[in-house]
Amino acid sequence: MTTTASKTGTGGRQAQPDHLGHVIFITAAAAMGGFLFGYDSSVINGAVEAIRSRYGVGSAALAQVVAIALLGSAIGAATAGRIADRIGRIRVMQISAALFSVSAIGSALPVALWDLAMWRVLGGIAIGMASVIGPAYIAEVAPPAYRGRLGSFQQGAIVIGIAISQLVNWGILNVAGGQQRGKIAGIEAWQWMLGVMVVPAALYGLLSFAIPESPRFLLSVGRNDQARKVLADVEAENTDLDARIAEIKDAMRSDHKSSFRDLLGGRFGLLPVVWVGIGLSVFQQLVGINVAFYYSSTLWQSVGIDPSASFFYSFTTSIINIIGTVIAMVFVDRIGRKPLALIGSIGMAVSLALVAWAFSARAGSGSNVKLPNTEGVVALIAAHSFVLFFALSWGVVVWVMLGEMFPNRIRAAALGVAASVQWIANWAITASFPSLSDWNLSATYVIYTAFAALSIPFVIKFVPETKGKRLEEMG
C-alpha cells in the first residue's frame, strides 16, 4: 500500500489539517441527517397520547403507527449505499431532505390514521437514507486522526435533535394550553409538533449544496481534479496529495459497486465482519434505548408521574443524552472504540437492572398507579444513568464503527445491511413495548438488561479496534 507523507506531531500522530474549521463545517452539515433522525425519533413522543385519543386506537395499533416509520427507515438504509455509489453522496442527502420535507407536511395534515402511517413511512425512508450516507460521507472526508471525533458528530446531531424536539414540543404544548389536542390556528398541537420537522429538513437540503462531494466517489467516476481539491481542503497542508490519491486508487482497484452478493462467504452465510456490524446494530437497539425517546412521557405516566412532570423528565433525559455524547466525542479517539463500548455495556446492564427492580414495586391500576418513594427515586436516577452510559458509548461508537470498519470493496453494501438491521431491531423494540409494558413492565426491563449483559462478551470476543486506522487498511 502506498504511504502518505503528512505533518506529524509528537509521537508520530498526524497533525491537524490546516482547514480543520472547514472539515468541521462539512462534517456538521452531513450530520444534519442525524439531527433529523433524532428529531423524528423523539417528536412523536409528544403526539402519542393525542393520536390514541383522536383515532381511538389501542396499544398494539398505536405502536404500529409509531414504529412503522422504522420499516421505511430499513428500506432507506438498505438502498442508500447503492444509490450513493451511482449518483454520489450529496445527491442522496438532497433526496433524503426532499422526502423528509414532504413527509413532515403530510404528517401534520393527515386525513386518517392510514394516511398518517403512510407519511411516516415516507419520512422513515428519508431518515434511513440519511443514517447510512452521513457516517459513510464523514468517514470518507475526515482525516484518520480525527475520524472518530468527527464521526461522532452523527450521534451528537441525533441527541441534539432529540433535545430540540422536546423543547419545541414543550413550547407548542404551552401555547396550546397544556393540551396535546389543543388548537393553535385551527390545527391541533400534536400536528404542529410533526409539521415543524419541515424546518430542519429544509436546512439539511440547503446545507447539502454547500459541501463538497466525497473524494472517493469523485475518484471512482474519474473526476480526479475535483477529488484533489477536496483532499487539499481536508488534509494537512504538506500532505503529498499524489500519494494520497494513489493510496485511495490502490484500494479502489480491487473495488467495485458492492452488492449483497459480495457480503457472502462466511461459515454462517455472511462474512464475519458483516456479522459483527449486524451485531453492533442489533445490540444498540435491543437494550431498549428508544423506549426512552419514543415513549418516555407515557412510561413515566404509567408509574404515577403526572403529565407535566413526565414531559420535564423527557427533556432532562435528552440533556443527559447530550452530556454523554460529548463525553464520547472527547474520548473516542483517545481511549478507543472498544473500551468505550465495554464501559457502556456494563453501565447499561447495571442501570437497567435497577430500573427493572424499581418498576417491580409498581402498585395500583388505571389512574391510581404509583411507585413507592424509594423505588421512584431509584427508577428516575437509574433511567437517566442508562441513557448516560448509552450515550457515552454505544450511541457514538456504533455510528463511528459502521462508517469505518468495513473493507472498501464492501463498505456501501455492508453499511446498508447493518443499518437496515438496526432499523428493524429498532422497530421490534418500538412496536413491542406498549404490549410488553401492559403485560409486565418490570419483566420488559429484565429483557433489556439481558441484552445489555450479552453485549459485554460480544464486544470482548468479536469487535475489532479501528482507532487511528485509515479506511484503506480495513479488511
Side-chain angles (χ1 to χ4, degrees):
M1 178 179 294
T2 306
T3 58
T4 302
S6 64
K7 292 190 298 186
T8 57
T10 57
R13 294 184 61 192
Q14 182 179 344
Q16 73 176 43
D18 299 271
H19 307 289
L20 186 58
H22 175 66
V23 176
I24 290 173
F25 169 75
I26 62 178
T27 299
M32 270 297 296
F35 182 95
L36 294 179
F37 169 25
Y39 198 102
D40 181 67
S41 297
S42 191
V43 73
I44 194 67
N45 186 24
V48 169
E49 293 305 315
I51 294 171
R52 186 199 299 270
S53 170
R54 176 162 175 171
Y55 297 106
V57 296
S59 294
L62 179 67
Q64 293 306 319
V65 174
V66 173
I68 197 167
L70 302 173
L71 296 181
S73 297
I75 295 170
T79 57
R82 297 194 68 183
I83 296 173
D85 281 345
R86 290 175 180 270
I87 65 174
R89 283 59 166 150
I90 300 300
R91 289 289 178 264
V92 172
M93 293 180 193
Q94 291 163 356
I95 292 170
S96 174
L99 291 176
F100 196 83
S101 297
V102 172
S103 168
I105 296 170
S107 297
L109 302 169
V111 297
L113 190 63
W114 67 265
D115 179 39
L116 175 61
M118 179 189 72
W119 294 118
R120 285 187 53 74
V121 170
L122 184 65
I125 293 173
I127 297 305
M129 295 175 73
S131 74
V132 168
I133 209 59
Y137 175 87
I138 292 169
E140 290 177 351
V141 300
Y146 292 85
R147 196 173 59 238
R149 275 166 284 183
L150 293 173
S152 65
F153 274 40
Q154 175 79 3
Q155 181 64 16
I158 290 173
V159 300
I160 292 172
I162 290 170
I164 294 297
S165 73
Q166 295 294 332
L167 190 60
V168 170
N169 281 0
W170 177 83
I172 292 173
L173 194 68
N174 277 281
V175 172
Q179 301 296 318
Q180 291 182 23
R181 295 198 61 189
K183 296 289 185 69
I184 303 173
I187 299 176
E188 294 184 6
W190 69 272
Q191 294 174 267
W192 282 103
M193 293 176 187
L194 300 182
V196 167
M197 292 189 292
V198 73
V199 176
L203 179 60
Y204 181 44
L206 291 173
L207 285 173
S208 70
F209 287 97
I211 60 177
E213 182 54 85
S214 157
R216 283 172 177 78
F217 173 75
L218 292 172
L219 289 173
S220 73
V221 295
R223 293 154 64 181
N224 293 1
D225 291 341
Q226 288 177 263
R228 176 186 293 273
K229 184 178 184 303
V230 175
L231 287 170
D233 286 340
V234 299
E235 298 281 352
E237 183 180 356
N238 67 345
T239 296
D240 185 338
L241 295 180
D242 289 331
R244 186 75 182 100
I245 290 172
E247 179 183 34
I248 296 172
K249 285 186 172 181
D250 282 346
M252 291 170 56
R253 282 196 180 98
S254 59
D255 197 7
H256 58 283
K257 303 298 183 185
S258 55
S259 66
F260 183 78
R261 183 181 302 171
D262 299 310
L263 309 183
L264 303 177
R267 284 198 308 171
F268 301 100
L270 299 175
L271 295 171
V273 70
V274 179
W275 281 118
V276 174
I278 290 172
L280 286 170
S281 292
V282 167
F283 277 118
Q284 188 198 49
Q285 296 302 317
L286 295 189
V287 296
I289 185 60
N290 280 309
V291 168
F293 301 123
Y294 290 120
Y295 297 112
S296 59
S297 294
T298 300
L299 173 64
W300 291 122
Q301 290 174 48
S302 75
V303 293
I305 304 293
D306 66 81
S308 60
S310 72
F311 267 78
F312 173 74
Y313 292 138
S314 295
F315 180 68
T316 58
T317 298
S318 68
I319 297 302
I320 292 295
N321 199 16
I322 292 175
I323 293 171
T325 301
V326 171
I327 293 172
M329 291 172 73
V330 171
F331 289 104
V332 68
D333 279 326
R334 295 186 181 183
I335 68 174
R337 287 67 158 145
K338 193 166 182 173
L340 273 184
L342 286 172
I343 291 169
S345 292
I346 295 168
M348 288 190 297
V350 172
S351 299
L352 287 167
L354 289 172
V355 172
W357 171 80
F359 284 166
S360 69
R362 184 174 67 160
S365 61
S367 59
N368 294 317
V369 172
K370 64 179 181 179
L371 284 179
N373 288 339
T374 299
E375 283 81 357
V377 171
V378 170
L380 284 171
I381 294 174
H384 283 73
S385 172
F386 162 60
V387 172
L388 176 66
F389 277 107
F390 175 87
L392 65 80
S393 60
W394 284 75
V396 166
V397 165
V398 171
W399 288 111
V400 171
M401 292 199 70
L402 291 182
E404 65 185 12
M405 67 182 289
F406 301 115
N408 276 342
R409 65 184 178 84
I410 65 167
R411 179 170 295 115
L415 181 53
V417 168
S420 182
V421 169
Q422 184 177 127
W423 288 113
I424 293 172
N426 190 341
W427 170 82
I429 290 296
T430 304
S432 64
F433 176 75
S435 297
L436 284 174
S437 63
D438 286 349
W439 162 64
N440 190 316
L441 185 59
S442 178
T444 301
Y445 272 84
V446 169
I447 294 171
Y448 301 154
T449 302
F451 283 116
L454 287 171
S455 71
I456 298 171
F458 171 76
V459 171
I460 292 173
K461 184 172 179 60
F462 298 110
V463 176
E465 180 58 74
T466 56
K467 171 187 170 185
K469 294 183 179 179
R470 291 192 182 279
L471 296 183
E472 289 71 34
E473 297 177 54
M474 303 301 176

